[in-house]
Amino acid sequence: HTLTRLIKKYVLLGTVILTYKWKGYGSLSQHGFTHLVVNHRRGFVDPLTGVHTNTCDGMWFHAKEHMQLGIGRSRFDSSTMAIALCEFMWVKNQNLTRTGP
């Protein structure tokens, strides 16, 4: 229930949430969210709704890669993770690329 509590705290009620099928996400629609699911056991795109998590999965891959580079500071402790994610999103939104230290 920790995940649901965090989602309710940081995500606007009524938001459409796209996830893969996992029991931890199962109650989102009962808490005021529209929850669309893709079952990865059946494919990576739901054939009826078109829902997929590929964009999010790819973005998270690049965010982790950015943090592992440790550009400017260590990215492995939780106190700098928020800063590192904000930096990654800013760089991405500005269409900038950063490679290596």
Side-chain angles (χ1 to χ4, degrees):
H1 299 290
T2 300
L3 178 62
T4 302
R5 186 170 30 89
L6 290 169
I7 291 171
K8 288 173 72 174
K9 181 176 179 178
Y10 292 105
V11 179
L12 186 65
L13 282 179
T15 296
V16 176
I17 300 176
L18 313 175
T19 69
Y20 54 88
K21 187 176 176 108
W22 178 60
K23 66 180 179 177
Y25 299 129
S27 67
L28 290 176
S29 59
Q30 299 167 13
H31 292 278
F33 301 101
T34 299
H35 183 213
L36 302 177
V37 179
V38 60
N39 184 345
H40 283 172
R41 288 184 178 204
R42 294 190 175 161
F44 290 98
V45 178
D46 185 285
L48 298 176
T49 63
V51 170
H52 64 83
T53 59
N54 299 351
T55 306
C56 182
D57 292 341
M59 190 65 66
W60 185 237
F61 171 83
H62 290 293
K64 289 188 294 185
E65 183 179 59
H66 177 83
M67 289 185 283
Q68 288 171 351
L69 289 175
I71 301 168
R73 59 192 163 279
S74 171
R75 307 291 195 202
F76 296 105
D77 62 284
S78 61
S79 65
T80 59
M81 186 174 281
I83 294 168
L85 285 171
C86 287
E87 179 186 60
F88 169 76
M89 289 185 290
W90 183 85
V91 167
K92 193 72 173 163
N93 285 333
Q94 299 300 313
N95 290 321
L96 302 173
T97 56
R98 292 181 76 169
T99 56

